[in-house]
Structure formats: structure tokens, C-alpha cells
Amino acid sequence: MVEIKLEHASVEFSVYNARSRSLRGDLMKRVGGHIGRSVKDDRVVIHALRDITLDLKAGTRLALVGHNGAGKSTMLHLLGGVYEPSSGSARIEGKVSSLLNLSMGMDPERTGRDNIVLRAAFLGMKLTEAKALVPEIAEFSELGPYLDLPMRTYSSGMAMRLGFGVSTAIQPDIILMDEMISVGDARFATKARARLQKMMERAGILVIASHSSDTLRQYCDRALWLKEGRIIADGPLEDILAQAHRPD
């Protein structure tokens, strides 16, 4: 069974001695939501998500919309099991592929070949399965002899190719994305889009956060509008886009 079920889930972050306005502003950009203050111990509390109830089943194609700081990225991390709810509950059934940080789990001092195994293991594969992926990822990434060099010698584009190749070699039940991924030059980007498209079509649940309405229309039929960490509206994509883009 593939399902994500949130019941009155909230995510909060406490930051001590965060008195400066610039730091508080930076926190809002990173996690979104609403800032509160505890009088007792002079700490800043970021209410990143507040009282979220949501049930996603197989076949869901969900768009997350809202301004910067609305809580979209935090929602993706909650749906992927990266964040535990501070209150309420989150139940995730199915294999998750979170395409939010393609280099997570990689070691810049290790070779590209080693990092294929590390990244695959980070994504939940057994060691034997991860090692079996190496030839296919080596061919897809087109890194040639660079695969045997430390990743610190790679350009950002080369590192992105490798991380993308591993992340899309495993067919997940649930895909979470923050904007569409752009990888490499035009020729490689075309190949990468075809690979990603196939994976997305096979997934049980797809959730994308994006500021591009055209992108969301291409892949989603339902949308969730977030504002200051709360769900403002949930419904058909076009209805929610019209509400979210309506002048205040």
C-alpha cells in the first residue's frame, strides 16, 4: 500500500539567543511558517507547519503552492520522513525518493564510483544492490575517468549528474520535488528529463513544490495552498492556482 497520512501534524523549531532581525529573517526564508517568542527562556520558536491534516493515496499528483516562507519545503521534508512532527502524527507507507538534495550522503573525498554506492545506500538500498547500480550510473552520468577521482575535483554540474543518476535509478513509490531539476547542458538535460518523466509516471504519489504554474499543470491535478505554515485551501489545481494568485 502507498499512502501518506498526516493528522494534526505541526513542526516547530526552537532557536535560542536568536535576537537579531537578520537571523530571524534568514530562519523564515529557510523553514517558513510563523515566528513566535517564548517569554520564559527568550527563545525564538519557528512554527514551520501548524495543524496539518492530509491524506495522500496512490494516484495523487499534488502541487504545493504559496509564497516563499509559506512552509512548502518543510512540508516536503515532513512528507518524506526527514522531519518528525512536533505534535500530531505522520504515517508514510512506501519507498520515498526525495529529490531535494541530490548530494546528500556523498563524501567529497571519495571517488564518484564510491559515492554511487554511498548515495544508493543512503536512499535505502542494500550494499549488493548499490554496487550493482554502478555500471548503469557510470554510463548515464557520462563522467568517464572522472568516476575514479575524488568528488571534490568535480564541477557542480558533474556532481549534479552523478547525484541525479543515482536518485533516479531507483523506482520509488513516492516522489517529492522542490522545483524541477535542471541537469547539465541541453543534450544531457533532455536525457535527464526523459529519465525523470518515466520515474514520475510510475510513482504512486507525486508531490511538487514550484512557483511555475506551467510546471504544475504539466504534472499535477490537485493543489495545496500554504500560508505561514497552514493549509489555506486544498482542491483541484486550477481552482487553487486562481485563489493563490488572486490579489489581496
Side-chain angles (χ1 to χ4, degrees), residues 64-216:
L64 299 181
V65 301
H67 296 301
N68 290 334
K72 300 188 298 297
S73 294
T74 304
M75 175 71 86
L76 288 171
H77 283 99
L78 178 62
L79 296 176
V82 177
Y83 293 159
E84 290 284 339
S86 307
S87 61
S89 64
R91 180 167 58 85
I92 302 165
E93 301 284 348
K95 183 186 295 185
V96 178
S97 179
S98 181
L99 302 179
L100 307 178
N101 187 340
L102 298 181
S103 63
M104 189 174 290
M106 291 182 166
D107 182 350
E109 297 301 322
R110 305 288 290 271
T111 68
R113 199 176 298 276
D114 290 340
N115 273 297
I116 292 174
V117 177
L118 287 174
R119 173 69 178 169
F122 179 83
L123 294 174
M125 297 191 73
K126 296 179 180 178
L127 184 59
T128 52
E129 295 173 326
K131 288 182 176 179
L133 273 182
V134 172
E136 192 270 333
I137 303 302
E139 180 181 357
F140 175 80
S141 63
E142 301 178 2
L143 293 176
Y146 279 96
L147 273 179
D148 297 306
L149 294 179
M151 271 193 67
R152 59 180 166 77
T153 65
Y154 291 13
S155 67
S156 59
M158 292 165 67
M160 183 76 77
R161 282 190 184 194
L162 193 64
F164 178 86
V166 182
S167 300
T168 54
I170 304 165
Q171 180 58 51
D173 302 307
I174 301 164
I175 298 177
L176 308 174
M177 297 180 62
D178 194 352
E179 301 292 350
M180 292 299 292
I181 300 170
S182 178
V183 185
D185 57 30
R187 186 194 60 79
F188 190 86
T190 299
K191 182 172 76 167
R193 277 196 299 271
R195 184 180 176 95
L196 182 60
Q197 179 81 30
K198 186 179 296 184
M199 188 179 82
M200 292 167 68
E201 289 172 353
R202 293 175 178 172
I205 294 174
L206 172 66
V207 183
I208 303 178
S210 178
H211 292 289
S212 169
S213 297
D214 289 340
T215 295
L216 296 178

